[in-house]
């Protein structure tokens, strides 16, 4: 079974040229950023810097317009809004304000109205767009960072987690101010390289596509050894990272979540 490596170096000021994670290290990843209509994390400018493509999902454009300037209280408002111009605004356009849409359209942002599609979420639309517009990019080298994906309405959170499952072959990371979530597909064994300066120690592994008959880990305070996990039974929440490298093997798709350190 192939090995898949993971690292949150996207939370560092600069991504190391060699993160020590092998040929699939984070230094070889191409990042895209999607901003949803929830409070943006304080580190959003860092994600923006690392991303090659920045997309606002509908009302996410309001968040960039309204909230990003607060992260730069000593700078001129218009200069910040001009600097943080999304490449694309996409969605059913039921949340983005008209003046925000007009402001970014005048700066050259591409506006994609998908109001005819009410069967998929705005995040789903954005992920599909990223995949369709990067056909020459090796999909294993694509990583989509989603800011504002957690918090707010629970049904929205579940919808975002469902996008992880629907695009299970694409690296997608759901971020909030406090933690992030990603899918560990059962088709691979996984190595997670911990960036202890920015994440941890609290973490969890959650079976998302059904019961896990066997999960084995190393590097956690409470490691699992051929352990069964299921809702209504044992799931590995409130665990603690103890090593710089975590390994995970499971016969079921799992969600990996870990806390993000406050500055």
């Amino acid at each position: 079974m192939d090995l898949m490596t993971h690292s949150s170096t996207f939370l560092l000021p600069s991504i190391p040229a060699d993160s020590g994670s092998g040929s699939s290290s984070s230094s070889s990843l191409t990042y895209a950023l999607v901003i949803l209509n929830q409070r943006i994390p304080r580190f959003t400018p860092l994600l923006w810097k690392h991303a090659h493509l920045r997309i606002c999902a509908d009302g996410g454009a309001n968040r960039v317009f309204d909230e990003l300037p607060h992260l730069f209280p000593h700078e001129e408002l218009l200069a910040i809004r001009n600097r943080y111009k999304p490449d694309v605004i996409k969605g059913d356009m039921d949340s983005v304000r008209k003046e925000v849409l007009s402001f970014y359209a005048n700066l050259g942002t591409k506006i994609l109205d998908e109001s005819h599609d009410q069967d998929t979420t705005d995040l789903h639309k954005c992920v599909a767009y990223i995949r369709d517009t990067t056909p020459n990019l090796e999909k294993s080298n694509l990583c989509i960072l989603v800011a504002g994906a957690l918090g707010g309405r629970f049904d929205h959170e579940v919808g975002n987690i469902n996008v992880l499952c629907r695009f299970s072959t694409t690296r997608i990371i759901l971020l909030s101010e406090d933690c992030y979530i990603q899918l560990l597909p059962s088709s691979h064994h996984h190595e997670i390289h911990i960036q202890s300066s920015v994440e941890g120690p609290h973490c969890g592994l959650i079976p998302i596509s059904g019961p896990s008959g066997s999960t084995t880990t190393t590097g956690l305070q409470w490691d699992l050894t051929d352990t069964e996990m299921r809702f209504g039974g044992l799931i590995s929440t409130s665990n603690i990272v103890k090593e710089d490298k975590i390994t995970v093997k499971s016969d079921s798709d799992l969600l990996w979540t870990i806390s993000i350190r406050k500055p």
Side-chain angles (χ1 to χ4, degrees):
M1 188 175 290
D2 290 339
L3 176 68
M4 192 172 184
T5 61
H6 311 272
S7 177
S8 62
T9 51
F10 54 82
L11 291 172
L12 299 176
S14 61
I15 296 176
D18 180 6
S19 64
S21 305
S23 60
S24 299
S25 71
S26 56
S27 61
S28 67
L29 295 177
T30 297
Y31 292 101
L33 174 63
V34 179
I35 297 182
L36 302 186
N37 191 16
Q38 285 292 334
R39 185 169 66 90
I40 60 174
R42 66 190 180 281
F43 48 79
T44 299
L46 194 60
L47 306 180
W48 192 284
K49 182 183 77 169
H50 294 324
H52 289 71
L53 177 66
R54 299 103 174 184
I55 301 180
C56 289
D58 196 358
N62 297 340
R63 301 288 177 164
V64 173
F65 188 86
D66 294 336
E67 297 180 16
L68 259 181
H70 295 309
L71 301 177
F72 303 92
H74 303 298
E75 295 190 39
E76 202 272 326
L77 182 72
L78 185 58
I80 297 167
R81 286 176 174 165
N82 286 334
R83 184 163 78 240
Y84 290 96
K85 175 190 77 68
D87 299 302
V88 178
I89 300 173
K90 185 178 177 70
D92 59 11
M93 303 302 171
D94 64 346
S95 300
V96 62
R97 302 196 306 272
K98 290 182 179 180
E99 70 270 20
V100 173
L101 207 59
S102 176
F103 177 84
Y104 289 124
N106 289 335
L107 291 179
T109 296
K110 182 183 293 187
I111 310 299
L112 300 175
D113 186 339
E114 296 285 333
S115 56
H116 62 278
D117 178 6
Q118 294 297 313
D119 293 329
T120 60
T121 65
D122 287 333
L123 176 57
H124 181 117
K125 294 176 176 69
C126 290
V127 171
Y129 174 82
I130 293 167
R131 285 172 54 89
D132 292 344
T133 55
T134 55
N136 297 324
L137 179 65
E138 177 62 40
K139 291 300 185 278
S140 64
N141 292 334
L142 173 65
C143 182
I144 301 174
L145 308 173
V146 187
L150 306 170
R153 279 172 44 187
F154 180 64
D155 60 327
H156 285 169
E157 290 184 311
V158 172
N160 295 336
I161 291 171
N162 189 49
V163 169
L164 298 183
C165 299
R166 295 192 69 169
F167 294 92
S168 61
T169 60
T170 300
R171 294 176 187 257
I172 305 173
I173 300 176
L174 307 180
L175 294 125
S176 73
E177 185 88 2
D178 303 306
C179 69
Y180 69 81
I181 296 174
Q182 66 186 109
L183 186 73
L184 304 182
S186 59
S187 56
H188 291 71
H189 294 165
H190 299 272
E191 283 186 0
I192 304 165
H193 295 261
I194 302 299
Q195 304 297 320
S196 58
S197 65
V198 293
E199 66 181 333
H202 301 97
C203 64
L205 285 165
I206 302 163
I208 191 62
S209 59
S212 168
S214 175
T215 297
T216 298
T217 68
T218 64
L220 301 176
Q221 180 159 343
W222 294 284
D223 273 320
L224 307 173
T225 304
D226 292 326
T227 303
E228 178 183 353
M229 292 196 296
R230 61 183 177 85
F231 281 97
L234 173 70
I235 58 174
S236 180
T237 59
S238 300
N239 213 324
I240 301 290
V241 296
K242 298 297 288 185
E243 306 292 342
D244 292 337
K245 182 177 75 176
I246 309 301
T247 68
V248 181
K249 300 177 183 179
S250 182
D251 62 357
S252 178
D253 293 349
L254 303 177
L255 293 180
W256 164 257
T257 183
I258 188 168
S259 57
I260 296 174
R261 292 185 182 273
K262 296 291 194 289

